[in-house]
C-alpha cells in the first residue's frame, strides 16, 4: 500500500503531516511523492485565507484525478472549519480536522465504501494530542509543543479551527528532544499555534522557558529556534533568560500585523506600535545582532492610506529583518468579516506589492550588516558547487565546498558578499 502527503499552511501543519507520515510508515505503508499514484492521499489543509481554502480544494482534486479509486484523507484547519463542505468534494473518504490525527491509520483502515467524518467539537478540548515527528535525513527539526489559541483576534479563524490552549507535558517535550538529538538533528524549532501561552493549562508557574530548559543537558542539539512570539508577552525575565542561553537562535518572529494603532485596535491585537517598538528595543539591547522578523496584514477593513503609510514608516523605524506580507482575507465567522470598509482586491494587492518591495530592501539592509564578519552556519544542502545553510539569525549563506559530509555540521564562514538577502562566503573552519 502506498500513501502520499501534501501540506498547506504553517510550520505546525508541516509537523502534523510528518507525524502522520510516520504513523503510516510504521504501519507498513510505502510513502510516495504526492504527484505519484497512491492508495491513500493525506491532504493537511489551511484556512487562514481564502487562498488556503482554494489550494486545499485544488490538491484534493489533483489527488482524485491521479488515482480515482484512492482514499483521500483531509486533515487540518479547513477540514475542521468546514467538514461537510470538504466531505462533499469528489474523492474525499475521510475528514479528521485538527484532532484524531494520531489515529489516522486506524480510521483509514476501518473505512468501507461510505464517506465519513471524524471531526470533533474542539471547544472543550483540553488534552494535547501526542503527535510525534522525528524524520531523519534533515538538519532542522520542528517540535510542536503547544496547540490552540484563545486570543480571538477579529480577523482570525484559527481559534475556531484549533480549539483552546493545550500544552505538551514537560516530560514529553524532553523525551522528544532526546529522540531528535539521537536522530542527529542539530537544530530544533519549538512551534505552536500560540507559543507564548505554553504551560498555562498545565500549571500557573510553567512557561515557555521551562520547555526551552528541557534541552539544557541534551548533547547534540546546538540550536533552539523559537516560533512566533507575542510582543506583549515578552517580559524582561524572558529576554534575560534567552539572552543568557547560547543555544537560543538570535532570530525572533515577533507578531506585528500592522504598524497603525488604529488598525491594531480594530484587530484586537492587545498592544500598540509603541509597545511593540519597546519590545524590539529590549531584545536588541540584550542581543544586539538579533533579527526581528514578522507578519503584516495589509488591507484590513477600514485601513486608510494614512494608516497603511503608518505601517510602512513603522517597519522602517524598527528595521525589520524579514516581513511576511499577507493581503487581508475575509473569513466568515470572524468579527472582521462583518466590519464596514472592506477594501477591494486591487487595493490590497497594490499595498501588498508596496510593502513587499520595502520588505526586500529591509532584508537586504539587515544582511549587509554581516558582510566582512565570520558567522557560524549550519550547512543543510548542496546548491551547485556550494553548500547552503543558515546562521542563527536565519540568514541564508552559500559557500563553495566539495565535501557533502559537512551537511548537518556547523562551520565557520567568512562572509564576503551579499546578493539580495543571501550571503556568500568562504569556509574558515570545518564542521564541528
Amino acid at each position: 500500500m502506498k500513501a502520499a502527503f501534501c501540506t498547506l499552511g504553517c510550520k505546525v501543519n508541516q509537523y502534523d503531516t510528518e507525524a502522520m507520515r510516520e504513523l503510516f510508515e510504521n504501519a507498513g505503508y510505502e510513502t510516495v511523492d504526492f504527484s505519484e499514484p497512491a492508495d491513500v492521499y493525506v491532504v493537511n489543509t489551511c484556512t487562514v485565507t481564502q487562498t488556503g481554502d482554494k489550494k486545499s480544494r485544488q490538491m484534493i482534486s489533483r489527488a482524485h484525478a491521479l488515482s480515482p479509486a484512492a482514499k483521500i484523507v483531509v486533515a487540518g484547519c479547513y477540514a475542521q472549519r468546514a467538514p461537510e463542505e470538504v466531505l462533499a468534494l469528489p474523492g474525499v473518504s475521510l475528514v479528521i480536522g485538527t484532532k484524531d490525527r494520531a489515529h489516522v491509520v486506524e480510521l483509514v483502515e476501518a473505512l468501507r465504501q461510505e464517506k465519513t467524518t471524524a471531526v470533533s467539537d474542539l471547544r472543550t478540548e483540553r488534552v494535547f494530542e501526542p503527535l510525534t515527528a522525528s524524520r531523519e535525513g534533515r538538519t532542522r527539526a520542528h517540535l510542536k509543543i503547544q496547540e490552540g489559541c484563545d486570543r480571538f483576534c477579529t480577523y482570525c479563524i484559527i481559534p475556531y479551527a484549533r480549539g483552546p490552549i493545550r500544552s505538551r507535558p514537560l516530560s514529553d517535550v524532553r523525551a522528544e528532544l532526546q529522540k531528535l538529538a539521537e536522530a542527529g538533528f542539530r537544530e530544533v524549532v519549538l512551534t505552536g499555534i500560540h507559543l507564548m501561552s505554553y504551560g498555562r493549562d498545565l500549571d500557573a508557574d510553567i512557561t515557555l522557558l521551562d520547555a526551552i530548559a528541557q534541552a539544557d543537558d541534551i548533547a547534540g542539539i546546538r540550536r533552539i529556534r523559537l516560533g512566533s512570539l507575542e510582543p506583549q508577552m515578552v517580559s524582561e525575565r524572558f529576554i534575560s533568560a534567552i539572552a543568557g542561553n547560547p543555544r537560543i537562535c538570535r532570530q525572533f518572529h515577533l507578531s506585528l500585523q500592522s504598524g497603525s494603532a488604529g488598525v491594531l485596535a480594530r484587530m484586537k491585537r492587545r498592544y500598540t506600535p509603541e509597545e511593540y517598538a519597546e519590545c524590539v528595543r529590549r531584545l536588541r539591547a540584550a542581543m544586539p545582532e538579533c533579527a526581528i522578523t514578522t507578519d503584516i496584514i495589509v488591507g484590513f477593513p477600514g485601513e486608510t492610506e494614512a494608516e497603511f503609510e503608518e505601517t510602512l514608516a513603522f517597519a522602517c523605524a524598527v528595521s525589520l529583518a524579514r516581513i511576511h506580507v499577507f493581503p487581508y482575507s475575509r473569513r466568515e465567522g470572524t468579527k472582521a468579516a462583518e466590519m464596514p470598509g472592506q477594501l477591494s482586491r486591487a487595493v490590497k494587492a497594490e499595498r501588498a506589492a508596496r510593502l513587499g518591495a520595502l520588505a526586500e530592501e529591509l532584508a537586504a539592509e539587515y544582511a549587509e550588516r554581516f558582510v566582512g564578519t565570520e558567522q557560524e552556519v549550519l550547512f543543510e544542502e548542496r546548491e551547485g558547487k556550494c553548500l547552503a545553510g543558515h546562521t542563527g539569525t536565519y540568514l541564508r549563506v552559500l559557500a563553495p565546498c566539495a565535501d557533502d559530509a559537512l551537511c548537518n555540521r556547523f562551520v565557520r564562514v567568512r562572509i564576503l558578499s551579499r546578493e539580495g538577502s543571501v550571503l556568500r562566503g568562504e569556509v574558515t573552519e570545518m564542521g564541528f
Side-chain angles (χ1 to χ4, degrees), residues 20-258:
M20 289 188 285
R21 187 195 306 269
E22 288 190 16
L23 290 170
F24 275 95
E25 290 177 347
N26 292 340
Y29 285 73
E30 175 189 354
T31 58
V32 298
D33 189 83
F34 197 78
S35 63
E36 298 180 26
D39 301 290
V40 178
Y41 291 92
V42 178
V43 182
N44 200 4
T45 62
C46 176
T47 197
V48 170
T49 66
Q50 292 178 358
T51 300
D53 289 356
K54 181 180 178 181
K55 287 182 177 179
S56 298
R57 291 191 293 269
Q58 288 174 340
M59 299 313 293
I60 293 167
S61 177
R62 185 177 301 177
H64 183 52
L66 191 60
S67 296
K71 292 181 172 65
I72 299 177
V73 180
V74 186
C77 292
Y78 177 40
Q80 182 70 40
R81 183 184 66 81
E84 297 305 323
E85 178 181 317
V86 173
L87 197 63
L89 296 173
V92 173
S93 301
L94 173 66
V95 180
I96 58 175
T98 57
K99 191 188 173 189
D100 292 321
R101 293 155 300 188
H103 305 292
V104 62
V105 177
E106 300 99 290
L107 290 169
V108 166
E109 295 185 344
L111 283 174
R112 299 295 183 263
Q113 292 302 111
E114 69 276 8
K115 295 183 174 186
T116 187
T117 175
V119 172
S120 305
D121 185 345
L122 296 177
R123 286 176 294 182
T124 59
E125 187 63 34
R126 292 293 181 268
V127 179
F128 183 90
E129 187 174 27
L131 290 171
T132 297
S134 56
R135 295 179 62 80
E136 297 183 18
R138 301 182 184 179
T139 58
R140 181 182 300 109
H142 289 82
L143 175 55
K144 178 181 169 183
I145 65 170
Q146 187 274 335
E147 178 69 275
C149 181
D150 64 357
R151 300 284 95 178
F152 290 96
C153 299
T154 58
Y155 57 84
C156 189
I157 198 70
I158 295 305
Y160 305 95
R162 289 281 180 171
I165 290 166
R166 289 98 75 200
S167 303
R168 191 169 212 139
L170 287 172
S171 59
D172 286 1
V173 173
R174 179 173 177 78
E176 292 302 311
L177 286 167
Q178 187 67 56
K179 288 179 184 178
L180 292 171
E182 291 170 358
F185 289 100
R186 312 300 302 279
E187 178 179 318
V188 176
V189 185
L190 299 182
T191 65
I193 296 299
H194 194 260
L195 191 62
M196 291 297 287
S197 291
Y198 176 85
R200 201 169 67 197
D201 57 314
L202 300 177
D203 185 285
D205 295 325
I206 294 177
T207 71
L208 179 57
L209 292 176
D210 296 292
I212 294 170
Q214 301 310 301
D216 283 353
D217 59 350
I218 296 178
I221 296 177
R222 190 178 178 90
R223 285 181 181 171
I224 297 290
R225 195 177 297 276
L226 303 178
S228 185
L229 307 176
E230 290 286 309
Q232 76 276 25
M233 301 175 78
V234 178
S235 65
E236 289 286 1
R237 174 175 173 264
F238 183 83
I239 293 174
S240 177
I242 60 177
N245 187 338
R247 295 191 189 199
I248 298 294
C249 292
R250 274 34 179 169
Q251 177 247 331
F252 304 107
H253 194 80
L254 203 62
S255 299
L256 177 57
Q257 308 305 352
S258 177

Side-chain angles (χ1 to χ4, degrees), residues 318-329:
V318 296
S319 300
L320 294 166
R322 179 175 298 161
I323 304 172
H324 297 144
V325 181
F326 299 92
Y328 167 73
S329 183

